[in-house]
Amino acid sequence: MTVATARPARPAAPDRTILLLLFFVMTSAALLVSHNGELLEQLGGLGRTLRNPIVEALMVSLFLANILFAHLWRAAPWAKALVGIGSLLFVLPMAGREDTSLLDLSIQIMIFAALALGLNIVVGLAGLLDLGYVAFFAVGAYAWGIFASPRFGEVLRYYGENPGATNAGTLAMGIVLTLVTVASLVVISRHNRRRAPTPATAWSFRLASVGLVAGVILTIRSILVLLSTRADSLANGIDPGFFWLFLALSIFAAAVVGVLIGLPVLKLKGDYLAIITLGLGEVIRVLANNLALYSAGSQGITPIKSASVPWFDAMAGALGFTEDQYYLLFLYALVLVMIGVILLVNVRLDKSRIGRAWIAIRDDEIAAQAMGVPLMQTKLIAFATGASFAGVMGMIFAAKQQFISPESFVLNQSIAILSMVILGGMGSFPGVILGAAVVTLLNLRILPGLGEATANLGIPQQVNPGQLQRLIFGAILVAMMLLRPEGLLPSRRRQLELHNDDNQEDESAQGNAGALNSASGDVYSAGFAPAKENDKAGGSR
Amino acid sequence: MSTLLPFLANVIVGGLVLGFVYAIIALGYTMVYGVLQLINFAHSEVFVTGAVVGFEVFRVLKDSSMNGYLKLIIALLAAMLVSGLLNVIIERLAYRPLRGAPKLVPLITAIGVSLILQDVLRVLEGFQGRFDLTYTLPAGFAGKFCGPESSCAGLGQFLVRIGIDLQLKDVILVIVSLLSLAVLNYIVNRTRMGKAIRAVAQDRVTAGLMGIDGNRMISATFLIGGALGGISGVLFGMKFGTINAYSGFIPGVTAFTAAVLGGIGSIPGAVLGGLLLGVLEKLIGVFNVFGDLLGIKNLAVIDDSYSKLGAFIALVLILIFKPTGLLGKSNVEKV
């Protein structure tokens, strides 16, 4: 192996400001024209071509490529900002005004981008393969779905009819029990911090935890019973003004679920973690299917409200949006802000102490532990952060679809999100967003468009591209793993690491499969723990 | 009490029958894991492929006057051949190029292969206008193993007397499973190839130094694992009657749980885990009956729709308390 020599400095990329602006103007015009029904009527034959689903999908893809190019190309900062802001805040909503499905599509892309960013923290940064990620999405969706739909009234009615022995006295008891157990938990854990834990403290801690659960259940149950007289007034769900409270709550709830799931399972590594998270994801789905009182079972919950923001609606009205588009536009803006916040959080976390701890754990758990990284705590933070992004997006998803059912939270969704992360490049934020956009476009526009366009060409229904999502996902996963395991836009930190490491062959950073073939076991790939050829589980040595 | 005991006995026997199906699927996982330390997610689709092949054989032979057992043997052989070869091809194309890559890489590839196979199976059957494949079993297979009127002796009579209700296909299923276990045991423990496979599982590099071709042994393992998947697919189809391209997931995860429960990489462990999980799955439905008997409303809600949760909850508990499984050896981590 030759010693890695200093790489020749890359020639500076040519300045592409003009090209970027030109591309932006052209694709924006194409998008606006191709989604304007009236204009298309007037265009006649050209209009019919533009309405072809493949052409439409192409237009949308080209338009979204703007943002990618603004990120990739070397151009004047003002031009980049102009393209980004112009396309997201101006062109997309304007085209969406003519064609609501475009607004819907962009919200969907951003929801998946946020989910992929969340999973990227768990898989890409901390190296924990989570196949049940969609469970957190479901938590957020159901948290809002149950309360903002007629479901809540039904639940209250049920408790009104079956009060058991619950009354104000039980409520008081439940609250007292909760408070006492919380207090004793705090006291015991403080005690444990000062002195070594004894069996007695361990047992009393467990006892108090059981008491806490009982107290919380009692309290919630009696609150539900006491509220049951209001079942009729809540027949359409709670006031949409609670949206903001629930936005905060869904972040919190998903993070708590993330910690609760993470506490037992994060002791495990690699394959075991993958399979157990897959199992837990299924558990959540089975529960959603069977707890018919709360989740309406497989029928699903509908209609789910969105927030009502009068000034926003007024503004949308002034801009020429119709009334049934108000909530979509609102959610579009909200999701845009959320993506911004999530990206900011991601970038800050990545550069923080915790981000470095995650990467240390991903690269070598034992070495990280030896260096004083608290394993469990750091992994839990990764899990909870990823979960909280999914929770808030789940809530927005519920508000957008106005309908949720367990079908939306199946394993395939988890795998779709995983394939976004892998396709884009584990650990790389722009890459992950690109992956989300590509996969969502493929799923919602390109494949159905191809399917529609080829419907009359005599291709049998079974091999219609619109039906082959799994095949295409699978092919993406396999092809990426074989050809370019670090993704389309690998993270810069990963590249730098690879270039500065004397043990690495230089080409490995380029991600050719040849590097993976050499069984040195030293090849790094974004997000993957190094292979240990001799690490066998079967036989003890 | 007089109804409860036979009921419980039926549940346990039914669970054991189901457990044999899980055990044979679990062997496919555990063999691959033992050699490559890879969760072969595609195994559940290999198993469904076997089930589809079995369905086709039974369908084609439906009107022939051939003996029912002969049809079964043809179905089993065809399924073994197709699934085994499929597994070898998957290994050759999707896993071998990634030998030596970080562990997550082949794992994700396996997920991808499993997705591809699901759609391929759906398309292949869809061309003939089918989605849910309903097995047409030879006459008599679905009948009682030993009716009260028929003159049966020995074990059959004993089973009838204590009130256990078995179908002929259940008995066939158990016999086929036991036979394949015996054959597998012979191959792994008594033949040269089995010895070589075990050597590769222990340490591929050292085995290579001893003149064992690692890749060939891995292919052999995939062939055996796939053939077992084929057998279990046919058995699963016989047991449950219908199967479709996507129905591999739940039994696949259950079987993987069985493999982990017994200690992954251990062949007796996979069988033990499969049997335990089969019984556990049947027992969850019993809560419902107890709820009815005792008048506890909350218990009565727990019915068969929760039975799949049993496997997942068992998996969580096993992995938390004994990650090496019941019969697994502990693995000391080296830095």
Side-chain angles (χ1 to χ4, degrees), chain B residues 11-21 173-174 274-276 278-279 282:
Chain B
V11 164
I12 289 173
V13 170
L16 286 176
V17 171
L18 185 62
F20 271 111
V21 181
L173 191 156
V174 173
L275 294 180
L276 282 179
V279 174
K282 288 280 176 185

Side-chain angles (χ1 to χ4, degrees), chain B:
Chain B
M1 239 17 214
S2 59
T3 55
L4 196 61
L5 266 185
F7 171 74
L8 275 182
N10 262 323
V11 164
I12 289 173
V13 170
L16 286 176
V17 171
L18 185 62
F20 271 111
V21 181
Y22 288 148
I24 305 287
I25 310 177
L27 284 175
Y29 280 104
T30 218
M31 290 199 62
V32 169
Y33 195 93
V35 173
L36 280 187
Q37 278 78 50
L38 160 74
I39 299 177
N40 185 11
F41 271 103
H43 189 70
S44 56
E45 274 58 49
V46 170
F47 140 83
V48 175
T49 309
V52 170
V53 171
F55 163 82
E56 290 293 338
V57 170
F58 280 128
R59 190 181 61 85
V60 168
L61 295 179
K62 186 175 66 178
D63 296 325
S64 80
S65 57
M66 205 185 277
N67 186 315
Y69 293 99
L70 197 59
K71 288 183 189 173
L72 177 68
I73 290 173
I74 296 175
L76 283 173
L77 288 179
M80 279 169 75
L81 191 68
V82 173
S83 298
L85 288 181
L86 178 67
N87 221 7
V88 172
I89 293 169
I90 293 173
E91 192 271 331
R92 187 68 192 80
L93 295 182
Y95 303 150
R96 190 174 296 180
L98 298 172
R99 224 36 79 65
K103 257 183 163 182
L104 275 186
V105 174
L107 189 68
I108 290 167
T109 316
I111 296 174
V113 170
S114 125
L115 290 178
I116 294 176
L117 283 180
Q118 282 178 8
D119 253 1
V120 168
L121 279 177
R122 185 182 58 78
V123 167
L124 282 183
E125 284 302 314
F127 269 128
Q128 300 167 54
R130 289 191 286 262
F131 182 71
D132 279 313
L133 310 176
T134 309
Y135 265 60
T136 44
L137 288 180
F141 274 26
K144 283 235 161 76
F145 167 54
C146 191
E149 287 91 15
S150 67
S151 54
C152 47
L155 183 66
Q157 207 173 20
F158 172 72
L159 289 179
V160 172
R161 200 181 320 132
I162 60 172
I164 287 175
D165 190 22
L166 269 186
Q167 288 179 326
L168 181 56
K169 63 179 184 186
D170 293 337
V171 179
I172 294 173
L173 191 156
V174 173
I175 291 172
V176 171
S177 312
L178 287 175
L179 273 180
S180 23
L181 281 176
V183 172
L184 178 73
N185 191 40
Y186 176 76
I187 292 177
V188 172
N189 289 328
R190 295 274 183 278
T191 61
R192 252 182 102 78
M193 188 174 76
K195 208 178 204 174
I197 288 176
R198 279 182 288 141
V200 172
Q202 280 276 326
D203 190 331
R204 201 185 314 150
V205 178
T206 314
L209 296 177
M210 302 295 130
I212 297 171
D213 183 348
N215 280 335
R216 250 186 66 198
M217 286 309 132
I218 290 169
S219 286
T221 314
F222 270 82
L223 184 71
I224 297 171
L228 284 170
I231 294 177
S232 53
V234 177
L235 297 183
F236 187 85
M238 276 173 59
K239 175 98 183 98
F240 290 97
T242 57
I243 193 150
N244 66 44
Y246 304 140
S247 53
F249 172 66
I250 296 276
V253 175
T254 314
F256 180 78
T257 309
V260 175
L261 174 61
I264 194 154
S266 143
I267 290 176
V271 178
L272 179 68
L275 294 180
L276 282 179
L277 275 191
V279 174
L280 179 75
E281 188 176 319
K282 288 280 176 185
L283 276 180
I284 284 180
V286 174
F287 279 109
N288 205 348
V289 176
F290 277 123
D292 278 347
L293 282 180
L294 306 173
I296 302 174
K297 206 174 165 191
N298 286 340
L299 273 185
V301 175
I302 301 176
D303 56 13
D304 274 346
S305 55
Y306 283 99
S307 61
K308 302 299 171 204
L309 282 187
F312 296 128
I313 292 165
L315 180 67
V316 175
L317 294 179
I318 302 153
L319 287 182
I320 291 168
F321 292 109
K322 199 166 188 319
T324 51
L326 296 176
L327 302 182
K329 296 173 194 142
S330 67
N331 176 32
V332 181
E333 191 158 5
K334 293 195 301 184
V335 181

